[in-house]
Amino acid sequence: MRTYDPEYENKVREFNAGAGRKAYIRTYGCQQNVSDSEKIAALAENMGYELCDSPESASLVVFNTCAVRHSAEQKILGNVGQLHALKEKNPSMITVLCGCMTQQEHVVEDIKKRYSFIDIVIGTSAVHELPRLIFSRLTGGRKIRTLYDESGEIVEGIGNVRNEAFRAFVPIMYGCNNFCTYCIVPYVRGRERSRRSGDVLAEVKSLVASGCREVTLLGQNVNSYREPEKGTGFPQLLRDVAALEGDFKIRFMTSHPKDASDELIDVIASCDKLAKHIHLPVQSGSDRILKAMNRKYTRGDYLSLVKRARERIDGLCITSDMIVGFPGETEADFEDTLSLVDEIGYDSLFTFLYSIREGTPAAKMPDQVPRDVKQKRFDALLELQTRKGFERNAAMKGLEFTVLVDEVKGDAEGGVKLLSSRTDGNKIVEFAGPAELYGNYARVRITEPMSWLLKGELVD
Ligand code: SAH
Ligand code: SF4
Ligand code: F3S
């Protein structure tokens, strides 16, 4: 662990690299990438760049990429291709590719061949090197490729430029050691490493002091958090964050079911500041497939965990991720997935078609499921979840909730706005109200539950 050394940054500032210039940062993928982009934005601003919303007017364009599924990579490569025309119009524009996609050797080789106009390609743990690399390129240095900062060291002190003042992502650990057989993340994000609790607490404290209402603690598997000096785990970190003064909520993601302990359940149950929501990705309802996925829990373990959590935590919302069409998945395995979803009754479910990721064990497994079979199963699962989600939401009709307003969607009748908000359980509630509620808590009553969201009205 070390603190960001601003020596190069100072040099770059002297050179005034970004002065009078604009930077455009586009983020793909998960919250981890959003958080990394907030650091890239801070580095760019320190260099004098002004952040902007489109690549056309930018002198620095950064694509922070995701590799979790083939479709994500294809979309990104399409967008990278479109940069070529811009670069021809404006040859002094600096183009940067970073993130999970560019952590893979074969992708970098492909980019060098097909998109040779790209200036800088770096991996996931080299974000702090960006000012130095941009500076070098601006001063005539050759094209640079830093694939991987081998140490994977956490660099503190970079700062963050966040879009919203009322809620924030706070990473607590990086990387993953679980090696689920379908997943690219451990290969592109490296081994697990945790931030010092003191650094996490200081960041949350300063966010709350500046008016932040909700922090989401981030990690690929937050339950693996280990304080690097004291060795304490995630439940203790949650207790410490909850002990900070202020009116704010704590969320976290993602929890791997194999490590979600009773101690964690107790903390959620007993701390008011903790949102009563847990994202608990199950991936499949079939024991055979869970084993092939290397998830390290059975359907029975998962069901009993959900039962304990629901018994202990009033009004708990549970959401999950599910993959359909993992290699070797039979109709019977898929029926197990459907029956699990039926039995649990998730508040919300993110469903994915299995996507082959080069370099992962599942990519080489026999019996890959044909595309049309995957799609049929996907549709069936979606239909079931739409029904189950509606059942869960229907039970909320007439009830009141405190929500955090996170979007002004447009005009509503009576000169007010249509607002979108989130309950403690992370459910979306839309209602009409004054625009000033944006970023604040409001009290709403549910009037019309739907499958994917709830309609409500403001309670005085
Ligand atoms: N660390 C988190 C999530 C990481 S990726 C966890 O363990 O839950 C987010 C989701 O993408 C996963 O939960 C999984 O459902 C999905 N996913 C990952 N690899 C995939 C692949 N090869 N094909 C389809 N979906 C995948
Ligand atoms: Fe991927 Fe599994 Fe790690 Fe999640 S826990 S990031 S699914 S390997
Ligand atoms: Fe994608 Fe990397 Fe996140 S692969 S899902 S951006 S960790």
Side-chain angles (χ1 to χ4, degrees):
M1 200 133 352
R2 63 191 162 104
T3 302
Y4 177 58
D5 172 4
E7 187 196 331
Y8 274 113
E9 190 196 324
N10 287 338
K11 266 198 200 159
V12 172
R13 204 178 284 138
E14 267 168 43
F15 179 74
N16 235 354
R21 294 185 167 130
K22 290 185 179 167
Y24 170 74
I25 302 166
R26 179 148 185 190
T27 311
Y28 302 86
C30 67
Q31 292 87 347
Q32 189 59 66
N33 258 18
V34 173
S35 173
D36 287 349
S37 286
E38 291 172 348
K39 294 195 165 55
I40 296 168
L43 292 168
E45 275 198 353
N46 282 340
M47 293 172 73
Y49 286 100
E50 181 194 337
L51 300 173
C52 68
D53 298 330
S54 86
E56 282 77 18
S57 58
S59 309
L60 170 66
V61 174
V62 181
F63 278 11
N64 191 9
T65 64
C66 170
V68 79
R69 280 171 289 276
H70 181 69
S71 53
E73 286 194 342
Q74 288 311 106
K75 180 176 152 200
I76 295 165
L77 287 177
N79 293 343
V80 172
Q82 288 165 8
L83 279 182
H84 196 189
L86 278 183
K87 179 88 179 176
E88 286 200 324
K89 256 196 255 164
N90 176 11
S92 68
M93 179 173 91
I94 295 193
T95 48
V96 180
L97 293 188
C98 60
C100 295
M101 231 175 115
T102 51
Q103 191 69 43
Q104 305 166 92
E105 203 113 19
H106 71 274
V107 174
V108 173
E109 288 313 310
D110 190 39
I111 287 168
K112 278 162 91 185
K113 263 191 239 129
R114 289 169 59 199
Y115 308 97
S116 56
F117 62 90
I118 296 291
D119 295 285
I120 299 172
V121 181
I122 60 165
T124 47
S125 40
V127 160
H128 58 284
E129 300 278 4
L130 263 181
R132 184 174 64 84
L133 299 177
I134 293 168
F135 178 70
S136 157
R137 187 73 185 127
L138 277 173
T139 48
R142 61 179 194 89
K143 291 200 178 173
I144 303 138
R145 178 193 146 209
T146 306
L147 188 62
Y148 195 52
D149 177 350
E150 285 293 343
S151 72
E153 221 175 3
I154 294 177
V155 182
E156 293 287 352
I158 294 180
N160 304 276
V161 174
R162 296 181 164 102
N163 283 336
E164 297 168 334
F166 64 92
R167 65 179 168 190
F169 293 131
V170 176
I172 61 163
M173 49 99 59
Y174 297 88
C176 181
N177 291 354
N178 289 316
F179 291 95
C180 303
T181 53
Y182 50 82
C183 184
I184 195 76
V185 172
Y187 305 89
V188 296
R189 285 275 172 189
R191 296 294 65 73
E192 287 172 359
R193 56 240 184 250
S194 297
R195 289 178 75 192
R196 282 182 298 243
S197 61
D199 291 323
V200 174
L201 292 171
E203 185 170 345
V204 175
K205 209 170 161 181
S206 108
L207 282 164
V208 173
S210 61
C212 183
R213 304 289 203 168
E214 182 180 294
V215 292
T216 302
L217 307 180
L218 287 186
Q220 290 302 340
N221 176 14
V222 284
N223 305 324
S224 305
Y225 176 84
R226 277 274 157 264
E227 212 293 332
E229 281 146 20
K230 293 176 250 173
T232 46
F234 184 56
Q236 186 55 46
L237 181 71
L238 281 179
R239 278 191 284 266
D240 292 345
V241 176
L244 294 172
E245 263 176 49
D247 183 17
F248 69 102
K249 283 272 170 194
I250 305 163
R251 298 185 184 281
F252 56 87
M253 67 188 312
T254 298
S255 284
H256 195 302
K258 79 177 165 59
D259 302 315
S261 62
D262 287 341
E263 190 187 357
L264 174 71
I265 294 174
D266 279 343
V267 177
I268 305 173
S270 60
C271 287
D272 289 343
K273 283 202 177 92
L274 273 153
K276 306 305 176 214
H277 167 228
I278 185 160
H279 185 60
L280 207 54
V282 66
Q283 315 296 2
S284 169
S286 151
D287 277 338
R288 217 174 59 80
I289 296 297
L290 286 172
K291 190 150 195 281
M293 286 176 161
N294 191 30
R295 290 292 287 180
K296 300 194 179 85
Y297 53 84
T298 63
R299 174 191 175 103
D301 297 335
Y302 187 87
L303 283 169
S304 112
L305 171 65
V306 167
K307 185 162 175 277
R308 291 198 306 280
R310 282 192 166 146
E311 276 167 6
R312 286 283 288 123
I313 308 165
D314 260 357
L316 178 69
C317 288
I318 301 181
T319 55
S320 189
D321 295 348
M322 196 73 90
I323 296 177
V324 296
F326 183 83
E329 184 188 75
T330 62
E331 267 319 306
D333 294 318
F334 179 62
E335 285 299 323
D336 285 345
T337 289
L338 289 177
S339 70
L340 183 88
V341 170
D342 194 42
E343 187 168 345
I344 295 214
Y346 287 112
D347 290 281
S348 166
L349 185 66
F350 299 88
T351 41
F352 304 105
L353 296 173
Y354 166 71
S355 170
I356 295 180
R357 301 289 63 213
E358 197 178 315
T360 63
K364 292 196 217 75
M365 286 182 186
D367 304 324
Q368 297 285 334
V369 178
R371 167 89 210 190
D372 58 327
V373 176
K374 278 190 223 176
Q375 189 63 50
K376 222 175 79 220
R377 291 180 186 166
F378 181 93
D379 294 345
L381 182 57
L382 198 65
E383 202 227 54
L384 172 63
Q385 176 54 33
T386 306
R387 196 155 46 77
K388 298 301 287 185
F390 181 73
E391 278 173 20
R392 295 278 302 167
N393 288 351
M396 294 167 72
K397 187 165 177 164
L399 301 182
E400 288 183 15
F401 294 90
T402 298
V403 293
L404 181 61
V405 180
D406 59 3
E407 195 184 342
V408 178
K409 297 200 76 162
D411 294 324
E413 278 173 32
V416 287
K417 298 286 178 189
L418 177 63
L419 304 174
S420 187
S421 66
R422 294 273 179 172
T423 66
D424 198 62
N426 212 29
K427 285 186 186 278
I428 300 171
V429 183
E430 287 184 359
F431 64 101
E436 300 77 66
L437 282 177
Y438 176 71
N440 288 300
Y441 293 122
R443 191 82 186 152
V444 295
R445 183 181 305 112
I446 306 305
T447 52
E448 195 190 340
M450 301 165 90
S451 289
W452 302 98
L453 60 88
L454 303 143
K455 302 231 172 195
E457 63 189 8
L458 196 57
V459 178
D460 285 335

